Amino acid sequence: MKKISTQKSIPKVIAVCEKIQKNPITGTVCLLDNIQDPGNLGTIIRSANAFFIDTLILSEDTVDLYNEKVIRSSEGMMFHINIIKGNLTKWISELKAQNYTIYGTDVANGTTLSKINWQEKTAIIIGSEGNGVNKEHLKQCDEIINIPLSSNCESLNAAVAASIIFYEWRN
């Protein structure tokens, strides 16, 4: 176990799993644009499960879903949600064709979360830790949303922001 584990505390259990199968998009959707930190992706997956998000769509440049830190930080939740990886421009167009309202996130601009009239068919784009949502993807959005912050705080961690948005959206 020492040879196959990167943990200081050596696990006593090992598991073999099949890779996640892509399923058709249904229900609520979150698109992740260039998330780089494996811990953030795992945390977003856990929060998505906690707040009843049905599908996560990862951009092609998002960290690998099977990165060991993603798997560990998702705490097994990655096996309880539909996860698709692909071209976000294509997926945004597909969602629009299915009458989804697309909400993009922006740290400085947009409608405050508490003022959003969430639609039944909703998809939210969460941007990368350093750059936010790609400008081309923002142009495809129906509405831009943001979380009001103290003037002392420049931005939130991507996973924290996603969790707050999921909570507001689903409650």
Side-chain angles (χ1 to χ4, degrees):
M1 291 298 279
K2 278 185 177 182
K3 287 183 179 183
I4 63 172
S5 177
T6 60
Q7 297 299 298
K8 290 179 183 176
S9 213
I10 306 303
K12 295 179 175 131
V13 178
I14 194 168
V16 178
C17 303
E18 289 184 27
K19 286 195 171 189
I20 297 170
Q21 300 298 311
K22 288 189 244 180
N23 294 308
I25 293 174
T26 58
T28 54
V29 178
C30 177
L31 300 99
L32 300 177
D33 187 0
N34 193 26
I35 300 298
Q36 294 301 297
D37 183 275
N40 278 343
L41 179 55
T43 300
I44 291 168
I45 292 168
R46 287 174 68 190
S47 291
N49 272 277
F51 296 113
F52 310 102
I53 307 306
D54 298 301
T55 299
L56 286 176
I57 302 175
L58 315 181
S59 66
E60 294 166 320
D61 51 3
T62 287
V63 65
D64 181 26
L65 178 62
Y66 298 102
N67 175 297
E68 66 182 274
K69 288 183 180 180
V70 173
I71 294 169
R72 204 168 45 253
S73 62
S74 79
E75 293 286 331
M77 293 294 106
M78 64 190 289
F79 299 106
H80 299 283
I81 189 168
N82 185 29
I83 301 177
I84 299 167
K85 191 162 190 170
N87 181 295
L88 288 194
T89 301
K90 172 191 161 285
W91 282 110
I92 294 167
S93 295
E94 175 68 27
L95 289 165
K96 284 182 161 274
Q98 294 180 33
N99 296 314
Y100 275 80
T101 301
I102 312 295
Y103 295 91
T105 55
D106 188 303
V107 71
N109 301 301
T111 306
T112 301
L113 283 179
S114 62
K115 295 181 180 174
I116 299 296
N117 181 19
W118 300 106
Q119 302 302 307
E120 185 176 333
K121 291 181 90 173
T122 292
I124 295 177
I125 307 173
I126 304 293
S128 73
E129 297 87 343
N131 300 314
V133 176
N134 176 299
K135 301 298 181 222
E136 293 305 311
H137 298 148
L138 278 178
K139 289 178 187 175
Q140 292 180 279
C141 294
D142 298 302
E143 189 164 359
I144 306 301
I145 60 175
N146 83 340
I147 301 169
L149 302 174
S150 157
S151 60
N152 298 327
C153 182
E154 184 181 312
S155 66
L156 293 172
N157 167 289
V160 170
S163 298
I164 291 167
I165 292 166
F166 295 163
Y167 175 81
E168 287 289 327
W169 176 17
R170 304 304 290 157
N171 286 299

